[in-house]
Amino acid sequence: MQLSLATRLVYVFSVVSTALSNPTGEHQCRPPTPQPSVFPLLDDIDIENLHSLFDNGSLTSVNLVHDNIATKDQMNNTAGSYALVGAKVSRESSVVTRLRDAGAVILGKATMGEWAQCRSRKASSSHGWSAYGGQVLGAYYPQQDPSGSSSGSAVAVSIGLAVGSIGTETSGSIVNPAERSNVVGIKPTLGLTSRDMTIPISLRQDTLGPIGRTVKDAAYMLTAIAGKDTFDNWTSTQPYDVTPDYVKSCNYLGLKGARVGIPRNGIDYYTDDSTNPVMAAFEKAIQTVREAGARVIEEANFSSFDPPSFARNSSIVLDTDFVSGLADYLSSLSSNPNKIHSLHDIAHFTKAHSGEEFPDRDTYVWDRQLGRNLTSSSAESWAAYQANLLMGGENGVVGALDRHKLDALIMPTFSSFHLPAIAGLPVITVPLGFYPAQTPLKKNLKRTMVSVAPNIPFGISFVGRRWSEEKLISLAYAFEQRTMIRRKMKPYIRPSFELSDQLEPTEETPFKLKVQYRPPVFDQTMLHERVFQRLLANVFSVRSWISSVLWSSQISL
């Protein structure tokens, strides 16, 4: 008995991270628990009209969400931990509901850095690893560090497993994985998207945002998920009652007449030998921005830029927020089989469960958080938060924008997210380039993955004031259209799922996901005919090819 098209698609999407973690040929894995509610929705999608999935304001698409965003269906919401496997949520995330209402099919949960990278020392863990989900790898170099924590969300979009995905960001967790996967990521203004029923890190920094292959795709998703929500009071600060149509901001002439600044002191602090190729590409991008009609203001520096200071303050804010916010989320569960009610319970569970890989992956962050004699409402936590708002706002991004009468700042993505994180400001990253062929390899601190190597992508970010997403999207789109960087390199790995030789999987005979390799060279001659010829033999590949051909043709409109 053959599985339906929808069932097969669900299976393929569910194994993205584990497939990439075994690049030796075939990866065997057991079939997931099926979700019958998604099958008819997928089977209703007209393959021949995939190019119009986003037409007429309808988000008829196939999306993934981060594994800390609650869906009220058969999927777990675990933040990558065995501690929450089997727990049931009382209601669905408001963002997920908005996506469904807009026509999206939520196909699965993307693997993430466990607890959004809020558990271990950097040297004790790795981006994109979780006990429950395994290790996500980037697709542009063997054993590539995908960055985090929205690792699977970015990699899945990059290799065509989903039209788009939703990630979460506290500090860099959308834009960093997006740049390393050669895709677009939008970290919205704090309060533009609801955090309802999302496993939190910090109420004062967390945001949910879209990851897409293009600026326009990300804009469609942002339009769908933005808006006020009674379950998240921070959204009540939005200056409008009707959510803007961010797709209308996708303007090829968006850079013409714009004033953009370069905060050199906020960039130089983070540069080293490994960032030289990034900075070379960034300088070329500045010229592109000028040629598009923008006025570029050099040395639009931050008046006060003290990373050690805001790092100390952020540690206090995030530590105190996590303890209280996590307890609030756990109290909302309708079923909690492991009886997890607090961070103390999670720490105890993690140290006792073999799958959590303790002590090789330590619990340093939790130990520090539990050792603080503070709460999120304490005077010290409030003072740290206020100091960060000042440094990120008046003394940082907002001050630079106001002094020079700027529309936005432009920065390499590796340096762009710190101040917007602490001040609740929006950031958009788009592809900027790739490390050149002779780049020396650099490994992550745990020495398990490659963080710098030939062909690994990097990005450029547009940073703005609160609620300036329309302007940032316009600028980012104009830059994207003039450069088309994403087309200049393809992932070295291309998963494929052969329909013709697969039978229904059983416990004895699991499916095999074949992983094929190809040189990272963009084929300029891809034609629609070749795409649809592959359709009959390989549904997975056709998703990737359709995304490459049809979606790329859409962004030139």
Side-chain angles (χ1 to χ4, degrees):
M1 174 181 172
Q2 295 287 328
L3 291 179
S4 70
L5 168 63
T7 308
R8 293 176 182 280
L9 284 172
V10 170
Y11 178 78
V12 172
F13 278 60
S14 70
V15 297
V16 54
S17 62
T18 49
L20 290 176
S21 68
N22 181 17
T24 58
E26 294 186 344
H27 178 80
Q28 293 191 5
C29 43
R30 303 289 179 187
T33 302
Q35 294 192 77
S37 61
V38 83
F39 299 163
L41 295 176
L42 279 172
D43 286 332
D44 284 344
I45 292 178
D46 183 356
I47 294 292
E48 294 184 0
N49 289 308
L50 282 175
H51 64 281
S52 62
L53 288 183
F54 283 150
D55 285 355
N56 302 318
S58 173
L59 188 65
T60 307
S61 62
V62 189
N63 296 71
L64 298 173
V65 295
H66 212 29
D67 191 22
N68 59 353
I69 304 171
T71 56
K72 198 166 177 56
D73 49 30
Q74 295 183 19
M75 290 187 286
N76 286 289
N77 195 45
T78 68
S81 170
Y82 282 106
L84 295 183
V85 173
K88 301 297 182 184
V89 296
S90 55
R91 65 175 184 277
E92 189 162 78
S93 161
S94 297
V95 161
V96 172
T97 299
R98 286 177 181 269
L99 281 172
R100 295 193 200 276
D101 289 346
V105 175
I106 309 302
L107 198 59
K109 294 290 189 74
T111 299
M112 60 182 284
E114 186 168 300
W115 298 107
Q117 310 294 163
C118 183
R119 167 184 157 177
S120 307
R121 288 183 180 91
K122 290 182 180 179
S124 176
S125 191
S126 52
H127 290 137
W129 177 88
S130 69
Y132 187 58
Q135 178 66 64
V136 179
L137 295 176
Y140 284 82
Y141 194 86
Q143 292 296 123
Q144 182 198 331
D145 185 336
S147 194
S149 64
S150 300
S151 313
S153 298
V155 173
V157 172
S158 179
I159 62 175
L161 293 181
V163 173
S165 63
I166 303 298
T168 63
E169 176 157 334
T170 305
S171 182
S173 288
I174 289 175
V175 297
N176 287 344
E179 77 156 338
R180 286 307 193 219
S181 283
N182 196 27
V183 293
V184 175
I186 301 179
K187 181 262 184 189
T189 301
L190 181 61
L192 183 64
T193 56
S194 171
R195 288 84 51 83
D196 172 51
M197 294 307 295
T198 300
I199 299 173
I201 297 296
S202 171
L203 186 67
R204 292 177 279 191
Q205 286 191 202
D206 291 348
T207 54
L208 277 68
I211 297 174
R213 287 195 162 197
T214 69
V215 173
K216 183 173 283 188
D217 283 359
Y220 272 109
M221 287 186 284
L222 183 62
T223 301
I225 66 175
K228 295 181 179 180
D229 178 24
T230 56
F231 290 115
D232 185 349
N233 288 335
W234 289 67
T235 62
S236 65
T237 62
Q238 294 178 22
Y240 27 70
D241 292 322
V242 178
T243 302
D245 183 351
Y246 293 108
V247 182
K248 292 181 178 179
S249 298
C250 293
N251 178 9
Y252 183 83
L253 300 177
L255 283 164
K256 187 175 182 179
R259 289 176 60 86
V260 298
I262 305 171
R264 293 288 181 179
N265 64 337
I267 298 171
D268 293 345
Y269 181 88
Y270 298 102
T271 58
D272 56 27
D273 289 344
S274 70
T275 60
N276 289 339
V278 184
M279 293 307 299
F282 180 68
E283 297 303 328
K284 291 181 180 179
I286 293 172
Q287 184 58 33
T288 299
V289 169
R290 286 195 175 103
E291 292 172 354
R295 173 83 180 275
V296 178
I297 310 302
E298 291 276 359
E299 304 296 336
N301 288 338
F302 305 132
S303 61
S304 174
F305 188 66
D306 184 0
S309 176
F310 69 65
R312 287 192 298 270
N313 289 329
S314 292
S315 175
I316 295 171
V317 172
L318 270 57
D319 285 359
T320 53
D321 279 4
F322 184 57
V323 173
S324 59
L326 180 62
D328 288 344
Y329 172 83
L330 294 171
S331 69
S332 71
L333 296 175
S334 60
S335 174
N336 190 344
N338 291 322
K339 297 180 171 55
I340 304 296
H341 302 289
S342 66
L343 179 57
H344 182 273
D345 293 341
I346 289 172
H348 178 76
F349 180 96
T350 298
K351 293 174 181 179
H353 194 291
S354 61
E356 295 285 343
E357 298 189 15
F358 179 86
D360 179 60
R361 298 178 187 269
D362 65 34
T363 57
Y364 168 79
V365 175
W366 297 346
D367 297 340
R368 183 188 68 209
Q369 292 169 338
L370 291 170
R372 290 191 189 275
N373 188 25
L374 296 173
T375 67
S376 58
S377 59
S378 67
E380 185 175 347
S381 180
W382 179 253
Y385 174 56
Q386 292 299 309
N388 269 359
L389 285 180
L390 180 64
M391 186 174 294
E394 182 179 336
N395 293 344
V397 173
V398 177
L401 292 169
D402 289 348
R403 282 193 305 277
H404 300 283
K405 298 180 173 57
L406 303 174
D407 295 298
L409 302 177
I410 54 173
M411 307 173 71
T413 297
F414 70 79
S415 65
S416 68
F417 59 90
H418 305 86
L419 295 188
I422 62 177
L425 304 175
V427 184
I428 300 179
T429 181
V430 298
L432 173 62
F434 309 87
Y435 279 95
Q438 302 306 315
T439 300
L441 269 61
K442 179 180 178 180
K443 290 196 171 183
N444 66 338
L445 292 177
K446 194 173 174 62
R447 311 295 297 173
T448 56
M449 293 188 294
V450 177
S451 56
V452 174
N455 302 332
I456 289 181
F458 47 78
I460 183 173
S461 287
F462 296 80
V463 183
R465 299 173 178 82
R466 287 170 61 82
W467 321 117
S468 66
E469 281 80 1
E470 289 172 282
K471 172 57 71 174
L472 296 184
I473 287 171
S474 178
L475 301 175
Y477 181 83
F479 178 83
E480 173 196 59
Q481 291 296 295
R482 281 168 173 78
T483 58
M484 293 297 191
I485 299 297
R486 177 170 170 75
R487 293 184 173 187
K488 297 180 180 180
M489 188 72 67
K490 287 294 180 181
Y492 85 98
I493 190 170
R494 177 171 56 88
S496 66
F497 189 70
E498 301 295 343
L499 291 179
S500 58
D501 59 0
Q502 298 297 337
L503 298 176
E504 183 176 10
T506 66
E507 287 299 312
E508 293 73 28
T509 308
F511 273 143
K512 294 179 179 179
L513 181 70
K514 297 182 179 180
V515 181
Q516 300 179 355
Y517 297 84
R518 59 180 176 184
V521 177
F522 179 69
D523 181 0
Q524 297 280 356
T525 63
M526 287 193 302
L527 300 174
H528 287 67
E529 289 81 358
R530 293 183 65 190
V531 173
F532 288 108
Q533 285 172 3
R534 294 176 65 89
L535 175 60
L536 296 179
N538 193 326
V539 167
F540 176 83
S541 291
V542 84
R543 292 210 63 83
S544 180
W545 279 59
I546 286 174
S547 295
S548 297
V549 179
L550 299 184
W551 265 268
S552 65
S553 67
Q554 180 190 33
I555 67 171
S556 64
L557 296 177

